[in-house]
Amino acid sequence: MLEKLDDLFTSFEKALEEKLLQADVLNLKSEYLGKKGKVSEVLKSLKDVSLEEKKVIGPRANELKEKMNQMVAKKLSAIEIAEINEKLAKEKIDITNRESVQALGIKSGGYHPATIIQREVEDIFLSMGFDILDGPHIEDEFHNFEALNIPADHPARDMQDTFWFQKPTGENSYLLRTHTSTIQVRGMTSRKPPFKFIAPGKVFRCERTDASHEMVFHQLEGMMVGEDISVAHLTYFMKTVLKEIFKKDMEIRLRPGFFPFVEPGFELDIECQVCKGKGCSVCKKTGWVELLPCGMVHPNVLEAGGIDSEKYNGFAFGLGLDRLVMMRYGIDDIRHLHGADLRFISQFRTY
Ligand code: DAH
């Protein structure tokens, strides 16, 4: 019997070696070690042998069974590792290789057009020596209105429909900033003239949306303060930026405009790039698009920022970044920018 057991073990060992699939290994296991397997078959005649022999055969049989089980476990895990390795080798992706990524049907991401334009404009201003500032979305009345020469009850507060946070008592407290001009004050109080900075970011207005109005949109505030700053400085910087963005000299026009924080104030228009000046829904058939309100900083605003308005002056502007995006790419509806429609967004990949 011992010999038979040893023979079984040898043939098991050989058969196991040849198996390459987990299922085959499991079948082999039940063929030998199962209830009706070959080992049990041999051990059936254990009842016919003497007690002495039983004492030898029993432990030996257990030892072999144990060994066979271990071999099966080892083989199974070896097959598993081999399968994983094979899969890894087959599915290896070189993520630095565009074709290899696209072949798998994986779409790589890209930047939102508003981000692309914002970064581009930031780079242009950085190259001209402007700092880039940031500010909070949730603001107080001081930064959004008062410091900008818009006291409480001033009719200009109605120019911008504001999202207010209410105190439990029902009075208005904080608000979502309606413009990036809030950062003018923050920028002035933290530096000494001469200085120039821009401040890009989201702004919020509680108003009806249409092709050219959104409740959330992007502005880029700009401010330069020093001695003897003039409108010529303002138009110089604006023309330079527009030329860089549109890669050509841009037609602009200045119209008088009222904003409490500048005096004089202007509206800077550029030729509509959607219709090339012919007139369309974006430019309300005028051929011009309001791109940039701007002006010479009001002395009250300089003073609120801790700056001596007798000695210093400056210009400020509030660039409508979304308008610029629309002009640059010929987009006819601002709502696309927040629509999260991949068919739209995926047109702006920058790799
Ligand atoms: N804050 C104004 C708005 O959102 C835009 C603006 C106008 C900003 C004139 C300026 C400026 O800096 O000089 O309507």
Side-chain angles (χ1 to χ4, degrees):
M1 257 181 94
L2 271 181
E3 235 168 72
K4 268 190 186 167
L5 282 174
D6 282 343
D7 284 350
L8 268 185
F9 182 77
T10 322
S11 69
F12 172 81
E13 200 174 20
K14 236 174 106 194
L16 184 66
E17 216 166 280
E18 288 160 11
K19 303 294 179 217
L20 294 173
L21 298 175
Q22 288 191 346
D24 292 343
V25 173
L26 292 173
N27 284 339
L28 187 73
K29 183 182 172 188
S30 68
E31 186 186 327
Y32 279 80
L33 298 169
K35 264 191 191 153
K36 291 182 182 160
K38 289 183 174 165
V39 176
S40 310
E41 207 54 46
V42 173
L43 292 179
K44 262 187 191 164
S45 31
L46 201 59
K47 59 181 183 334
D48 306 327
V49 300
S50 67
L51 195 64
E52 275 76 54
E53 276 180 303
K54 271 186 194 154
K55 276 188 183 161
V56 181
I57 295 169
R60 175 72 180 147
N62 283 338
E63 186 192 331
L64 287 181
K65 278 206 263 182
E66 172 75 21
K67 232 175 169 179
M68 286 156 100
N69 272 318
Q70 278 171 7
M71 284 160 77
V72 165
K74 211 166 145 195
K75 182 79 185 188
L76 285 176
S77 88
I79 291 175
E80 194 179 358
I81 288 169
E83 277 176 1
I84 290 173
N85 283 338
E86 195 187 338
K87 214 171 160 195
L88 280 177
K90 236 198 308 193
E91 294 177 4
K92 188 171 172 184
I93 319 164
D94 176 4
I95 55 161
T96 61
N97 179 328
R98 194 163 137 200
E99 272 88 45
S100 142
V101 171
Q102 283 177 343
L104 290 163
I106 295 171
K107 293 210 174 94
S108 36
Y111 289 113
H112 190 282
T115 306
I116 298 171
I117 295 292
Q118 181 178 320
R119 292 194 179 173
E120 224 173 271
V121 178
E122 283 175 2
D123 281 346
I124 299 166
F125 277 106
L126 268 179
S127 75
M128 298 191 295
F130 283 71
D131 294 338
I132 300 183
L133 304 189
D134 198 6
H137 289 172
I138 297 175
E139 269 291 8
D140 49 36
E141 284 187 65
F142 175 74
H143 288 91
N144 202 84
F145 295 121
E146 262 147 58
L148 293 165
N149 200 28
I150 318 175
D153 303 326
H154 191 285
R157 287 212 181 182
D158 298 336
M159 285 167 73
Q160 301 174 348
D161 295 305
T162 310
F163 284 111
W164 289 95
F165 293 91
Q166 271 184 356
K167 289 182 189 159
T169 49
E171 303 148 55
N172 289 335
S173 60
Y174 290 100
L175 50 89
L176 286 177
R177 72 176 178 205
T178 57
H179 50 188
T180 44
S181 304
T182 51
I183 306 168
Q184 284 191 15
V185 198
R186 296 180 181 279
M188 281 187 286
T189 47
S190 58
R191 37 186 51 68
K192 286 203 160 59
F195 58 77
K196 47 190 190 300
F197 61 79
I198 55 163
K202 279 190 165 72
V203 299
F204 310 84
R205 302 265 173 101
C206 181
E207 60 183 18
R208 223 173 248 272
T209 61
D210 62 27
S212 46
H213 294 88
E214 255 291 13
M215 283 193 274
V216 182
F217 54 100
H218 300 87
Q219 283 189 339
L220 185 136
E221 196 75 12
M223 187 175 219
M224 179 176 188
V225 172
E227 288 177 61
D228 298 323
I229 305 291
S230 74
V231 177
H233 290 102
L234 173 62
T235 45
Y236 165 76
F237 281 115
M238 286 308 129
K239 281 202 152 183
T240 308
V241 172
L242 289 172
K243 189 174 174 178
E244 283 290 319
I245 292 173
F246 290 93
K247 312 281 180 244
K248 60 173 185 180
D249 283 314
M250 290 291 288
E251 288 292 327
I252 64 167
R253 72 176 188 187
L254 272 184
R255 284 179 291 122
F258 171 73
F259 301 94
F261 27 96
V262 281
E263 182 55 42
F266 309 103
E267 289 283 3
L268 189 149
D269 298 344
I270 57 168
E271 193 184 51
C272 179
Q273 297 299 296
V274 174
C275 62
K276 304 278 181 253
K278 285 194 213 86
C280 65
S281 67
V282 171
C283 60
K284 299 198 185 83
K285 311 260 184 273
T286 63
W288 292 94
V289 171
E290 211 177 285
L291 178 78
L292 189 81
C294 51
M296 302 307 291
V297 184
H298 196 289
N300 289 354
V301 176
L302 290 170
E303 295 293 336
I307 287 168
D308 181 358
S309 62
E310 298 280 325
K311 188 165 178 211
Y312 299 105
N313 70 342
F315 69 73
F317 60 87
L319 178 68
L321 267 181
D322 304 81
R323 292 263 163 86
L324 203 57
V325 176
M326 293 168 75
M327 290 294 103
R328 166 74 172 272
Y329 293 113
I331 299 166
D332 60 3
D333 195 322
I334 193 172
R335 288 167 293 194
H336 286 311
L337 297 179
H338 280 285
D341 186 335
L342 285 179
R343 288 170 305 178
F344 171 77
I345 299 293
S346 60
Q347 297 173 53
F348 304 94
R349 299 233 181 88
T350 44
Y351 52 74

